[in-house]
Short mmCIF file of all heavy atoms in Angstrom, two decimals:
data_model
loop_
_atom_site.label_atom_id
_atom_site.label_comp_id
_atom_site.label_asym_id
_atom_site.label_seq_id
_atom_site.Cartn_x
_atom_site.Cartn_y
_atom_site.Cartn_z
N PRO A 1133 0.81 -1.22 0.00
CA PRO A 1133 0.00 0.00 0.00
C PRO A 1133 0.84 1.27 0.00
O PRO A 1133 2.00 1.26 0.43
CB PRO A 1133 -0.79 -0.12 1.30
CG PRO A 1133 0.11 -0.89 2.21
CD PRO A 1133 0.81 -1.88 1.32
N VAL A 1134 0.26 2.35 -0.47
CA VAL A 1134 0.92 3.65 -0.38
C VAL A 1134 1.11 4.02 1.09
O VAL A 1134 2.14 4.56 1.49
CB VAL A 1134 0.09 4.73 -1.10
CG1 VAL A 1134 0.66 6.13 -0.84
CG2 VAL A 1134 0.04 4.44 -2.60
N ARG A 1135 0.13 3.72 1.91
CA ARG A 1135 0.21 3.91 3.36
C ARG A 1135 -0.22 2.60 4.02
O ARG A 1135 -1.23 2.02 3.64
CB ARG A 1135 -0.72 5.03 3.85
CG ARG A 1135 -0.47 6.39 3.23
CD ARG A 1135 -1.57 7.36 3.66
NE ARG A 1135 -1.50 8.63 2.97
CZ ARG A 1135 -1.96 8.86 1.74
NH1 ARG A 1135 -2.53 7.85 1.07
NH2 ARG A 1135 -1.86 10.04 1.17
N MET A 1136 0.53 2.16 4.99
CA MET A 1136 0.18 0.91 5.69
C MET A 1136 -0.90 1.18 6.73
O MET A 1136 -0.71 2.00 7.64
CB MET A 1136 1.42 0.34 6.39
CG MET A 1136 1.15 -0.97 7.12
SD MET A 1136 0.61 -2.31 6.01
CE MET A 1136 2.13 -2.57 5.08
N PRO A 1137 -2.07 0.56 6.61
CA PRO A 1137 -3.13 0.77 7.59
C PRO A 1137 -2.70 0.37 9.00
O PRO A 1137 -2.05 -0.65 9.19
CB PRO A 1137 -4.26 -0.14 7.08
CG PRO A 1137 -3.97 -0.35 5.63
CD PRO A 1137 -2.48 -0.34 5.52
N THR A 1138 -3.05 1.20 9.98
CA THR A 1138 -2.77 0.90 11.39
C THR A 1138 -3.99 1.25 12.22
O THR A 1138 -4.89 1.98 11.78
CB THR A 1138 -1.56 1.72 11.91
OG1 THR A 1138 -1.94 3.10 12.00
CG2 THR A 1138 -0.36 1.58 10.99
N LEU A 1139 -3.99 0.74 13.47
CA LEU A 1139 -5.09 1.03 14.37
C LEU A 1139 -5.13 2.51 14.78
O LEU A 1139 -6.16 3.01 15.24
CB LEU A 1139 -4.99 0.15 15.63
CG LEU A 1139 -5.28 -1.34 15.42
CD1 LEU A 1139 -5.06 -2.10 16.72
CD2 LEU A 1139 -6.71 -1.55 14.92
N GLN A 1140 -4.00 3.22 14.61
CA GLN A 1140 -3.97 4.65 14.92
C GLN A 1140 -4.94 5.44 14.06
O GLN A 1140 -5.38 6.53 14.45
CB GLN A 1140 -2.56 5.20 14.77
CG GLN A 1140 -1.60 4.71 15.84
CD GLN A 1140 -0.24 5.37 15.73
OE1 GLN A 1140 0.17 5.79 14.64
NE2 GLN A 1140 0.48 5.45 16.84
N TRP A 1141 -5.26 4.92 12.87
CA TRP A 1141 -6.20 5.60 11.97
C TRP A 1141 -7.58 5.75 12.61
O TRP A 1141 -8.32 6.67 12.27
CB TRP A 1141 -6.33 4.85 10.66
CG TRP A 1141 -5.12 4.92 9.78
CD1 TRP A 1141 -3.89 5.42 10.10
CD2 TRP A 1141 -5.03 4.47 8.43
NE1 TRP A 1141 -3.04 5.30 9.03
CE2 TRP A 1141 -3.70 4.72 7.99
CE3 TRP A 1141 -5.91 3.87 7.54
CZ2 TRP A 1141 -3.26 4.39 6.71
CZ3 TRP A 1141 -5.48 3.53 6.27
CH2 TRP A 1141 -4.16 3.80 5.86
N ILE A 1142 -7.92 4.81 13.51
CA ILE A 1142 -9.27 4.83 14.10
C ILE A 1142 -9.21 4.94 15.62
O ILE A 1142 -10.22 4.71 16.29
CB ILE A 1142 -10.08 3.58 13.70
CG1 ILE A 1142 -9.35 2.30 14.12
CG2 ILE A 1142 -10.38 3.58 12.21
CD1 ILE A 1142 -10.17 1.03 13.92
N SER A 1143 -8.05 5.30 16.17
CA SER A 1143 -7.93 5.42 17.62
C SER A 1143 -8.42 6.79 18.09
O SER A 1143 -7.96 7.82 17.58
CB SER A 1143 -6.47 5.23 18.04
OG SER A 1143 -6.31 5.55 19.42
N PRO A 1144 -9.31 6.83 19.07
CA PRO A 1144 -9.76 8.14 19.60
C PRO A 1144 -8.60 8.95 20.18
O PRO A 1144 -8.65 10.18 20.20
CB PRO A 1144 -10.76 7.73 20.70
CG PRO A 1144 -11.20 6.35 20.34
CD PRO A 1144 -10.02 5.71 19.69
N LEU A 1145 -7.55 8.26 20.65
CA LEU A 1145 -6.41 8.94 21.25
C LEU A 1145 -5.58 9.71 20.21
O LEU A 1145 -4.75 10.54 20.58
CB LEU A 1145 -5.52 7.93 21.97
CG LEU A 1145 -6.19 7.15 23.13
CD1 LEU A 1145 -5.21 6.13 23.72
CD2 LEU A 1145 -6.68 8.10 24.20
N SER A 1146 -5.81 9.43 18.94
CA SER A 1146 -5.06 10.12 17.88
C SER A 1146 -5.59 11.52 17.61
O SER A 1146 -4.95 12.31 16.92
CB SER A 1146 -5.11 9.30 16.58
OG SER A 1146 -4.55 8.02 16.77
N PHE A 1147 -6.77 11.82 18.16
CA PHE A 1147 -7.42 13.10 17.86
C PHE A 1147 -7.26 14.09 18.99
O PHE A 1147 -7.36 13.73 20.16
CB PHE A 1147 -8.93 12.89 17.62
CG PHE A 1147 -9.27 12.16 16.36
CD1 PHE A 1147 -9.35 10.77 16.35
CD2 PHE A 1147 -9.52 12.86 15.19
CE1 PHE A 1147 -9.67 10.09 15.19
CE2 PHE A 1147 -9.86 12.18 14.03
CZ PHE A 1147 -9.93 10.80 14.02
N SER A 1148 -7.02 15.35 18.64
CA SER A 1148 -7.22 16.46 19.56
C SER A 1148 -8.65 16.96 19.34
O SER A 1148 -9.26 16.66 18.31
CB SER A 1148 -6.22 17.58 19.27
OG SER A 1148 -6.48 18.15 17.98
N PRO A 1149 -9.20 17.74 20.27
CA PRO A 1149 -10.57 18.25 20.06
C PRO A 1149 -10.71 19.04 18.76
O PRO A 1149 -11.70 18.88 18.03
CB PRO A 1149 -10.80 19.15 21.28
CG PRO A 1149 -9.93 18.56 22.34
CD PRO A 1149 -8.70 18.07 21.62
N GLY A 1150 -9.71 19.88 18.46
CA GLY A 1150 -9.77 20.67 17.23
C GLY A 1150 -9.70 19.82 15.98
O GLY A 1150 -10.43 20.04 15.01
N LEU A 1151 -8.83 18.81 16.01
CA LEU A 1151 -8.68 17.93 14.85
C LEU A 1151 -9.94 17.11 14.64
O LEU A 1151 -10.39 16.90 13.50
CB LEU A 1151 -7.47 17.00 15.08
CG LEU A 1151 -6.82 16.38 13.84
CD1 LEU A 1151 -6.28 17.46 12.91
CD2 LEU A 1151 -5.68 15.45 14.26
N PHE A 1152 -10.54 16.68 15.74
CA PHE A 1152 -11.78 15.91 15.63
C PHE A 1152 -12.89 16.76 15.04
O PHE A 1152 -13.64 16.31 14.17
CB PHE A 1152 -12.20 15.38 16.99
CG PHE A 1152 -13.50 14.62 16.95
CD1 PHE A 1152 -13.53 13.31 16.53
CD2 PHE A 1152 -14.70 15.23 17.32
CE1 PHE A 1152 -14.73 12.60 16.48
CE2 PHE A 1152 -15.89 14.54 17.28
CZ PHE A 1152 -15.91 13.22 16.85
N ALA A 1153 -13.00 18.00 15.52
CA ALA A 1153 -14.06 18.89 15.02
C ALA A 1153 -13.88 19.17 13.54
O ALA A 1153 -14.85 19.17 12.78
CB ALA A 1153 -14.05 20.20 15.81
N THR A 1154 -12.63 19.41 13.12
CA THR A 1154 -12.37 19.70 11.71
C THR A 1154 -12.74 18.51 10.83
O THR A 1154 -13.43 18.67 9.81
CB THR A 1154 -10.88 20.04 11.51
OG1 THR A 1154 -10.56 21.17 12.31
CG2 THR A 1154 -10.60 20.35 10.05
N GLY A 1155 -12.29 17.32 11.23
CA GLY A 1155 -12.59 16.14 10.43
C GLY A 1155 -14.06 15.79 10.44
O GLY A 1155 -14.64 15.40 9.42
N ALA A 1156 -14.70 15.95 11.60
CA ALA A 1156 -16.10 15.57 11.74
C ALA A 1156 -17.02 16.46 10.91
O ALA A 1156 -18.00 15.98 10.33
CB ALA A 1156 -16.52 15.60 13.20
N LEU A 1157 -16.70 17.76 10.85
CA LEU A 1157 -17.56 18.67 10.08
C LEU A 1157 -17.59 18.28 8.61
O LEU A 1157 -18.63 18.32 7.96
CB LEU A 1157 -17.07 20.12 10.22
CG LEU A 1157 -18.00 21.15 9.56
CD1 LEU A 1157 -19.28 21.30 10.37
CD2 LEU A 1157 -17.31 22.50 9.42
N ILE A 1158 -16.43 17.87 8.09
CA ILE A 1158 -16.37 17.43 6.70
C ILE A 1158 -17.01 16.05 6.56
O ILE A 1158 -17.75 15.78 5.61
CB ILE A 1158 -14.91 17.40 6.19
CG1 ILE A 1158 -14.28 18.79 6.34
CG2 ILE A 1158 -14.86 16.95 4.74
CD1 ILE A 1158 -12.79 18.82 6.05
N ALA A 1159 -16.74 15.17 7.53
CA ALA A 1159 -17.27 13.81 7.46
C ALA A 1159 -18.79 13.79 7.53
O ALA A 1159 -19.43 12.90 6.96
CB ALA A 1159 -16.69 12.96 8.59
N ILE A 1160 -19.37 14.77 8.23
CA ILE A 1160 -20.84 14.84 8.30
C ILE A 1160 -21.44 14.93 6.90
O ILE A 1160 -22.50 14.37 6.61
CB ILE A 1160 -21.27 16.04 9.16
CG1 ILE A 1160 -21.15 15.69 10.64
CG2 ILE A 1160 -22.71 16.47 8.86
CD1 ILE A 1160 -21.39 16.83 11.57
N PHE A 1161 -20.72 15.62 6.00
CA PHE A 1161 -21.19 15.76 4.62
C PHE A 1161 -21.30 14.40 3.94
O PHE A 1161 -22.16 14.21 3.07
CB PHE A 1161 -20.23 16.68 3.86
CG PHE A 1161 -20.74 17.11 2.52
CD1 PHE A 1161 -21.65 18.14 2.39
CD2 PHE A 1161 -20.32 16.47 1.36
CE1 PHE A 1161 -22.12 18.54 1.15
CE2 PHE A 1161 -20.78 16.86 0.11
CZ PHE A 1161 -21.68 17.90 0.01
N PHE A 1162 -20.43 13.44 4.32
CA PHE A 1162 -20.52 12.09 3.77
C PHE A 1162 -21.89 11.48 4.05
O PHE A 1162 -22.49 10.85 3.18
CB PHE A 1162 -19.46 11.19 4.41
CG PHE A 1162 -18.09 11.25 3.79
CD1 PHE A 1162 -17.15 12.15 4.24
CD2 PHE A 1162 -17.74 10.39 2.77
CE1 PHE A 1162 -15.88 12.20 3.69
CE2 PHE A 1162 -16.48 10.43 2.20
CZ PHE A 1162 -15.55 11.35 2.67
N PHE A 1163 -22.36 11.66 5.28
CA PHE A 1163 -23.55 10.93 5.73
C PHE A 1163 -24.85 11.67 5.50
O PHE A 1163 -25.93 11.08 5.62
CB PHE A 1163 -23.42 10.59 7.22
CG PHE A 1163 -22.35 9.58 7.50
CD1 PHE A 1163 -21.10 9.98 7.93
CD2 PHE A 1163 -22.59 8.23 7.31
CE1 PHE A 1163 -20.10 9.05 8.19
CE2 PHE A 1163 -21.60 7.29 7.56
CZ PHE A 1163 -20.36 7.71 8.00
N TRP A 1164 -24.78 12.95 5.22
CA TRP A 1164 -26.03 13.70 5.07
C TRP A 1164 -26.85 13.22 3.88
O TRP A 1164 -26.30 12.89 2.83
CB TRP A 1164 -25.71 15.19 4.89
CG TRP A 1164 -26.92 16.04 4.81
CD1 TRP A 1164 -27.98 16.05 5.66
CD2 TRP A 1164 -27.21 17.04 3.83
NE1 TRP A 1164 -28.91 16.99 5.27
CE2 TRP A 1164 -28.45 17.60 4.15
CE3 TRP A 1164 -26.52 17.52 2.71
CZ2 TRP A 1164 -29.03 18.62 3.39
CZ3 TRP A 1164 -27.09 18.51 1.95
CH2 TRP A 1164 -28.33 19.06 2.30
N GLY A 1165 -28.14 13.16 4.05
CA GLY A 1165 -29.04 12.81 2.95
C GLY A 1165 -29.92 11.61 3.25
O GLY A 1165 -30.97 11.44 2.63
N TRP A 1166 -29.50 10.77 4.23
CA TRP A 1166 -30.31 9.59 4.56
C TRP A 1166 -31.70 10.00 5.05
O TRP A 1166 -32.67 9.23 4.90
CB TRP A 1166 -29.63 8.75 5.64
CG TRP A 1166 -29.39 9.52 6.91
CD1 TRP A 1166 -28.26 10.18 7.25
CD2 TRP A 1166 -30.32 9.74 7.97
NE1 TRP A 1166 -28.41 10.81 8.47
CE2 TRP A 1166 -29.67 10.55 8.93
CE3 TRP A 1166 -31.64 9.34 8.21
CZ2 TRP A 1166 -30.29 10.97 10.11
CZ3 TRP A 1166 -32.26 9.75 9.39
CH2 TRP A 1166 -31.59 10.55 10.32
#
């Protein structure tokens, strides 16, 4: 792979509050519409 998948990709400890908010606001767009 271009990047080797690791558990850090989905670890809550990898996020700061600001980083989580930034990613979540964009990710919400993925799910909107249901």
Side-chain angles (χ1 to χ4, degrees):
V1134 172
R1135 301 173 188 80
M1136 181 62 68
T1138 70
L1139 289 177
Q1140 289 185 334
W1141 289 9
I1142 57 173
S1143 171
L1145 299 177
S1146 300
F1147 290 89
S1148 65
L1151 203 61
F1152 178 80
T1154 301
L1157 186 72
I1158 302 172
I1160 281 173
F1161 191 81
F1162 276 90
F1163 292 98
W1164 183 50
W1166 59 266

